[in-house]
Amino acid sequence: MAALTITATLSGCGADSAGEVTLKLVAADYGSNSANTSQKYWDELARAYEKKTPGVKIDVTVLSWKDVDREVAEMVDRGEAPDMAQIGAYADHARAGRLYSADTLLSVPTQANFLPMLRQAGEVDRAQYGMPFGASTRMLFFNEKLFQEAGATPPGSWDELQKAAQKLKAKDVKYPYALPLGPEESQAETMMWLLGGGGGYRDTTGTAYQIDSPANVETFGWLKKELVGKGLTGPVAPGELDRQEAFDAFVRGEVGMLNGHPTLMATAEKAGVKVGTVPLPGVAGKSKATLGVADWMMAFKQNGHRKEIGHFLDFVYQDKNVMAFSDRYDLLPVTVSASDAMEADEQHAAMRPFLEELAGSELYPVGDTSWARVSESVKKNIGRAVAPGGEPRAVLEQIARDARSAQSSASAR
């Protein structure tokens, strides 16, 4: 029934009998309930735009993150693409020639205002198709009360993290370090640890996967032996612990340390957990980079509304609108001017460390159509690398084979 409703909403040419253009936008829901659904944000923004732009209507459908990428792909397959989609992945649509490039849509000031590393991440063959919309990065979170009671100090390296975890365990902290390698979002936790060990998903050229590199094998060997093997990751096996479960446990005060993002910080502090943050530790000091994450706006060619889409997106990316969305969902702005404004505002002082880390962060290889299959392989397999009887090298080699196969298939298209 829901699918039929969506189809009815999005079908049609997008212009009514009076010559009015209706732009169809499908967007992901960043809210956790009906009170803070993204539908409210987009409805307010759409009405404000319509008020100043006679002849253009904005029709917004907001779907859950669980469904939105799949629903948009099904709309495209039915020949009913929306004018715009704000979802998690753009590369498949760009490679298939379905999208307008950003330079054909946006004014020069708008396109130039995207944070450079996010603008580059939205490129396919050096043309930008993915426009960043909402960003976050990761830092190591620790429960200040539990640390104080355990006599632990915030870690700056893996050895220091292990020592802090041992002190927390001695004080019966349920999860000294929460290691979520379950299928929900283990590709994120994995990438953070790989970066900390001097490796990563891709080689230094950024063109080939290196998942079974010596550095990556050593990283998961250390995790298996020094954290999981010593009982420092809690009662749930990492391969069965999803990110949201770990976050919920942190909010309940059951976790000493985990890798978190700004939304979790706000949620935990509202629950009375005093949160400390430090940059992600690495094997011999601060990690070479942290994980950066961005979601994407894209514009489909099918309905032909290039001029109207571009004008609307110039409005969407005005500072006041970027800041309103970032504030509502504890995200980082995706534009230079809005980031500068957030950094200068004392009310956003807690976000400054995340802004600083974002500049040097590393994103998933989202411009590569093979990434979706690689990510799925990580989610399916990585938990076994640290399980009793598991062999990190063998697991990483399996994921590497899947990555090579995915990249070959993408290249053959």
Side-chain angles (χ1 to χ4, degrees):
M1 194 68 184
L4 290 173
T5 302
I6 293 166
T7 301
T9 302
L10 293 173
S11 61
C13 65
D16 64 23
S17 57
E20 187 175 78
V21 171
T22 298
L23 299 180
K24 311 289 187 178
L25 168 64
V26 178
D29 195 350
Y30 290 76
S32 56
N33 52 54
S34 59
N36 66 353
T37 174
S38 297
Q39 188 75 52
K40 292 185 177 182
Y41 170 82
W42 283 112
D43 286 347
E44 292 167 7
L45 193 69
R47 302 298 83 79
Y49 181 76
E50 291 168 353
K51 187 174 181 180
K52 62 175 288 188
T53 315
V56 178
K57 295 291 184 183
I58 310 297
D59 184 354
V60 183
T61 300
V62 171
L63 301 172
S64 75
W65 273 111
K66 182 176 66 176
D67 302 321
V68 67
D69 282 75
R70 174 180 52 79
E71 290 281 4
V72 169
E74 291 176 359
M75 293 170 197
V76 170
D77 288 344
R78 293 194 300 265
E80 299 167 355
D83 295 284
M84 295 163 284
Q86 187 274 299
I87 56 178
Y90 69 88
D92 280 342
H93 299 301
R95 292 281 182 190
R98 302 178 188 126
L99 303 180
Y100 288 115
S101 60
D103 64 315
T104 65
L105 292 167
L106 304 175
S107 66
V108 171
T110 298
Q111 187 179 11
N113 198 27
F114 289 128
L115 291 168
M117 51 91 69
L118 297 180
R119 184 175 66 246
Q120 292 166 9
E123 293 179 354
V124 171
D125 296 332
R126 299 189 179 183
Q128 184 185 359
Y129 295 93
M131 292 160 277
F133 191 91
S136 70
T137 190
R138 304 291 193 266
M139 297 187 73
L140 181 75
F141 285 25
F142 62 94
N143 183 313
E144 291 192 355
K145 179 183 177 183
L146 295 180
F147 261 61
Q148 185 176 11
E149 291 173 349
T153 56
S157 68
W158 288 357
D159 286 344
E160 292 174 5
L161 184 147
Q162 187 211 51
K163 289 174 183 176
Q166 288 173 331
K167 290 181 178 181
L168 292 162
K169 182 183 180 182
K171 288 292 185 178
D172 296 322
V173 173
K174 189 171 183 179
Y175 295 89
Y177 178 87
L179 182 66
L181 295 179
E184 180 193 354
E185 203 191 34
S186 54
Q187 83 282 3
E189 186 75 12
T190 297
M191 184 167 170
M192 286 182 274
W193 281 98
L194 297 183
L195 292 171
Y201 286 128
R202 311 293 293 265
D203 62 18
T204 54
T205 68
T207 58
Y209 290 102
Q210 59 161 18
I211 293 169
D212 56 350
S213 69
N216 292 347
V217 172
E218 287 182 19
T219 291
F220 268 82
W222 188 91
L223 273 174
K224 183 176 187 295
K225 179 182 177 183
E226 302 296 339
L227 279 190
V228 182
K230 293 185 177 179
L232 302 177
T233 54
V236 180
E240 297 174 8
L241 182 67
D242 279 337
R243 181 199 63 165
Q244 192 59 52
E245 293 176 78
F247 282 11
D248 291 345
F250 187 80
V251 171
R252 293 194 299 267
E254 299 172 353
V255 174
M257 296 174 281
L258 51 59
N259 293 330
H261 55 57
T263 305
L264 173 61
M265 181 173 65
T267 303
E269 290 184 342
K270 285 177 185 175
V273 176
K274 192 169 183 182
V275 182
T277 62
V278 292
L280 296 189
V283 64
K286 180 183 174 181
S287 176
K288 72 172 186 178
T290 188
L291 170 68
V293 178
D295 302 315
W296 305 96
M297 177 73 76
M298 62 211 70
F300 288 88
K301 295 177 179 178
Q302 180 179 312
N303 300 320
H305 297 137
R306 181 185 62 81
K307 182 178 177 181
E308 292 84 358
I309 293 170
H311 191 265
F312 175 63
L313 291 179
D314 278 340
F315 177 77
V316 167
Y317 285 106
Q318 289 179 6
D319 280 358
K320 63 180 180 180
N321 298 324
V322 173
M323 288 293 290
F325 187 82
S326 299
D327 281 343
R328 189 173 297 207
Y329 298 109
D330 298 304
L331 293 168
L332 302 179
V334 297
T335 64
V336 173
S337 55
S339 295
D340 289 346
M342 178 176 280
E343 188 169 10
D345 186 354
E346 284 301 320
Q347 293 185 357
H348 294 97
M351 300 293 278
R352 288 173 184 163
F354 295 94
L355 289 168
E356 183 178 343
E357 289 296 308
L358 182 63
S361 66
E362 188 168 319
L363 278 73
Y364 303 127
V366 290
D368 193 327
T369 56
S370 65
W371 168 242
R373 285 179 57 190
V374 176
S375 177
E376 284 304 310
S377 181
V378 173
K379 292 177 185 179
K380 177 182 177 182
N381 294 300
I382 198 63
R384 294 187 291 108
V386 297
E391 175 50 55
R393 182 183 299 278
V395 172
L396 292 173
E397 286 175 346
Q398 173 62 58
I399 299 171
R401 286 193 293 273
D402 291 344
R404 288 191 290 272
S405 173
Q407 197 161 37
S408 296
S409 297
S411 299
R413 290 178 189 175

